[in-house]
Amino acid sequence: MKAKKMTDKARQAREVLFMCLGVISACFGLKSFLMPEHFIDGGVTGISLLVSTLTRWNLSYLIIAINIPFIILGYKQIGSVFAFKTAIAIAALSLGLIFIPFQPITHEKVLVAFFGGFFLGGGIGLAMRGGCVIDGTEVLALYISRKSQLTVGNIIFILNIIIFLFAAYFINIDTALYAILTYLSATNTIDFIVNRLEAYTGVTIISEENETIKAFIINDMKRGVTIYKGEGGYLQKKDIDIIYTVVTKLELGKLQDKINEIDPNAFVVQQQIADLKGGVVKRQAFH
């Protein structure tokens, strides 16, 4: 039990560190590159930048206001811990934009677009590694994907195309083109850090509390499970039920926490899945 508490504390400390680094990186990308040149990005941050550019409203307040619906959505579809951490991270980003004295680094537009996207994407990716998001686009895309045949990547792409078209119409075509460059830089950085948001993780669970874990996955997470019949080799146990399920990266932390709560001695194996087709992957309903 003591070892488990130490492990939990180490995991929580690591998540807090990732969140802090993510907020600082995103703040640096915004204040030192994108904001001085009135550049925009994709996603909710891009919407905030676009509205700020058009109205001159304070970006710090816009980031909080526009992300509120996505925090609520995250609470409904992923959980209260995720929503709480996301709210803290977004509030920290907003405060960072006000109080951290980052200065412009360069006025070369290509460098601004590339490195602005690089540091902003790095911040988003690190925050995700910390179990939250500082841009609600991914939560919205995940929600829509479970109610349609579109993938998370398809939805994010469509949303960003709409944002870039608005930028081209209301600002100018050059800003929209630089925004695409920023978006590509940010996306590749996020992919590098979290190995693609829409990648799924296969989880194999062996536990004496398999019925409770199975019920949680099916009823609470709305995920399908496959049960394998096996037998233990080391302990020579007969008729062991082996649970296999597939979850997204945003849901993985929630599943890990629940397994630790139900059975700290459960044997869990995780494998990244490069591609996925068919099966009960999308939620059918939200509560």
Side-chain angles (χ1 to χ4, degrees):
M1 184 64 69
K2 187 174 181 179
K4 177 182 178 295
K5 289 183 178 179
M6 292 295 291
T7 302
D8 289 344
K9 288 182 179 180
R11 178 179 58 80
Q12 292 169 2
R14 185 172 65 250
E15 290 179 349
V16 170
L17 176 62
F18 279 135
M19 288 172 58
C20 293
L21 292 176
V23 168
I24 292 171
S25 178
C27 186
F28 179 65
L30 289 167
K31 291 196 73 173
S32 294
F33 294 97
L34 300 180
M35 290 172 62
E37 300 299 322
H38 302 291
F39 276 19
I40 68 170
D41 183 30
V44 175
T45 305
I47 296 173
S48 303
L49 286 164
L50 179 61
V51 174
S52 178
T53 299
L54 293 173
T55 63
R56 302 299 177 183
W57 291 349
N58 192 302
L59 180 63
S60 303
Y61 304 141
L62 286 171
I63 284 178
I64 291 179
I66 296 176
N67 270 295
I68 286 176
F70 304 105
I71 295 173
I72 297 171
L73 191 59
Y75 172 80
K76 291 181 177 179
Q77 75 172 78
I78 298 176
S80 57
V81 175
F82 172 83
F84 176 75
K85 291 164 67 175
T86 294
I88 293 297
I90 290 172
L93 176 60
S94 177
L95 291 173
L97 292 175
I98 296 174
F99 295 110
I100 300 179
F102 287 131
Q103 299 299 316
I105 300 298
T106 178
H107 296 286
E108 172 57 47
K109 294 186 181 298
V110 174
L111 293 178
V112 167
F114 177 81
F115 284 103
F118 174 80
F119 286 106
L120 179 58
I124 294 172
L126 288 169
M128 290 174 62
R129 290 287 300 274
C132 64
V133 293
I134 53 177
D135 186 297
T137 312
E138 291 82 3
V139 177
L140 176 63
L142 195 60
Y143 174 82
I144 296 174
S145 73
R146 289 170 178 164
K147 291 182 172 292
S148 70
Q149 296 301 312
L150 296 173
T151 66
V152 172
N154 294 151
I155 296 163
I156 291 177
F157 177 76
I158 292 170
L159 291 173
N160 285 320
I161 287 296
I162 294 172
I163 293 170
F164 299 147
L165 289 174
F166 267 83
Y169 181 79
F170 287 105
I171 304 178
N172 56 61
I173 189 66
D174 287 349
T175 297
L177 292 175
Y178 281 122
I180 294 173
L181 179 59
T182 301
Y183 165 70
L184 292 174
S185 175
T187 300
N188 280 282
T189 307
I190 296 171
D191 288 346
F192 178 78
I193 293 175
V194 300
N195 296 317
R196 298 175 53 204
L197 172 67
E198 64 179 303
Y200 290 87
T201 300
V203 184
T204 302
I205 308 162
I206 302 175
S207 168
E208 294 182 355
E209 302 293 335
N210 57 76
E211 288 297 328
T212 306
I213 295 173
K214 180 176 71 173
F216 171 76
I217 295 171
I218 294 173
N219 298 325
D220 291 75
M221 299 191 70
K222 308 300 180 185
R223 288 296 189 188
V225 298
T226 299
I227 305 298
Y228 297 101
K229 296 295 184 179
E231 60 181 56
Y234 181 74
L235 297 177
Q236 298 182 347
K237 289 186 177 181
K238 301 290 185 180
D239 298 326
I240 297 175
D241 283 346
I242 303 170
I243 300 174
Y244 181 80
T245 189
V246 177
V247 298
T248 66
K249 288 186 176 296
L250 291 179
E251 295 170 312
L252 185 57
K254 179 180 180 179
L255 178 59
Q256 290 171 331
D257 290 342
K258 193 64 178 181
I259 293 172
N260 286 333
E261 178 185 324
I262 295 172
D263 182 7
N265 297 316
F267 181 69
V268 182
V269 179
Q270 299 169 190
Q271 294 175 308
Q272 183 178 328
I273 299 174
D275 195 13
L276 189 69
K277 184 178 182 180
V280 184
V281 177
K282 299 181 180 181
R283 289 188 187 181
Q284 302 302 316
F286 290 86
H287 302 281

